Amino acid sequence: DHPTDLIVVPHHSYSKEGSFFRRKSAEPIVRKSGEMALFIPDNCEGFISPETGDVSLTKILVPVDFDPDPQLAANAAMRVARALGEENVHFTVLHVGTPGSAPQVNFVKDKEGWTVETIELEGDPKEVIAKVVQKNKPQLVVMATAGHDSFLDALRGSVTERVLRDCRVPLLTIPEHIHLI
């Protein structure tokens, strides 16, 4: 009833054992709202110091596919970096699929210190994204989401929801109907 620009929610991860039957509250609330959401997992360092409020956002991972529109996640990642006034940000665009098949994503490098790298890997999207998060240690993951678009998604969750369950860094989700410049 009261649209907002962003929902910020804590996210509690559960062990694999019995996690399918645990009651989840954040995911359904955000899905139903249709708004952008920043999920903050338990015990993550994040990019804002709780002691001082200082911001340090130097690495952003942007997993993309052809659907939803990959530019949506790129625009959101740039918008966050702009809003926080970050001078030196390394954006890593990750496509999980056949090498050489990554969708085109355009970054406007507002700051001289902004860099963009594209990685293409094969495998299960959730597993590959988790490995890249563990290896590259981004402070933020930004993903566009179409929500549940199949029977299987309704059972196990969308790729974004499955990534969220194992992600140990803040995850910004952008529903496909939101258009950012």
Side-chain angles (χ1 to χ4, degrees):
D1 292 340
H2 304 282
T4 185
D5 293 329
L6 178 68
I7 298 171
V8 180
V9 291
H11 186 265
H12 307 288
S13 55
Y14 300 106
S15 67
K16 300 277 186 229
E17 190 176 307
S19 65
F20 183 79
F21 298 103
R22 294 228 191 252
R23 182 177 157 89
K24 297 169 181 72
S25 58
E27 294 170 31
I29 289 169
V30 168
R31 190 179 322 111
K32 187 172 181 177
S33 77
E35 301 290 348
M36 287 193 308
L38 178 60
F39 291 92
I40 310 292
D42 292 338
N43 303 319
C44 81
E45 290 185 29
F47 52 88
I48 300 176
S49 167
E51 291 83 25
T52 65
D54 291 339
V55 175
S56 178
L57 183 58
T58 59
K59 292 185 194 176
I60 301 175
L61 177 64
V62 185
V64 298
D65 201 358
F66 289 93
D67 187 40
D69 182 1
Q71 193 62 49
L72 183 60
N75 290 350
M78 289 183 290
R79 185 177 248 196
V80 168
R82 261 187 227 113
L84 296 175
E86 290 298 287
E87 299 284 329
N88 298 302
V89 180
H90 182 74
F91 300 92
T92 300
V93 177
L94 171 63
H95 177 253
V96 181
T98 307
S101 69
Q104 182 64 38
V105 181
N106 298 310
F107 276 83
V108 177
K109 297 179 187 172
D110 286 3
K111 310 288 182 184
E112 205 171 296
W114 284 15
T115 57
V116 180
E117 164 190 30
T118 300
I119 299 173
E120 295 179 278
L121 299 170
E122 293 182 283
D124 174 76
K126 177 191 124 1
E127 298 298 326
V128 171
I129 294 167
K131 286 178 186 174
V132 171
V133 166
Q134 187 174 12
K135 179 182 176 193
N136 292 9
K137 304 204 182 322
Q139 291 123 333
L140 178 65
V141 177
V142 179
M143 294 181 73
T145 181
H148 292 173
D149 58 4
S150 71
F151 176 72
L152 196 54
D153 280 357
L155 285 177
R156 65 180 186 176
S158 67
V159 171
T160 306
E161 289 171 334
R162 290 185 294 135
V163 167
L164 173 63
R165 292 176 194 144
D166 290 332
C167 198
R168 299 291 177 252
V169 298
L171 173 66
L172 177 63
T173 62
I174 301 91
E176 67 181 341
H177 69 273
I178 293 177
H179 297 284
L180 302 170
I181 298 174

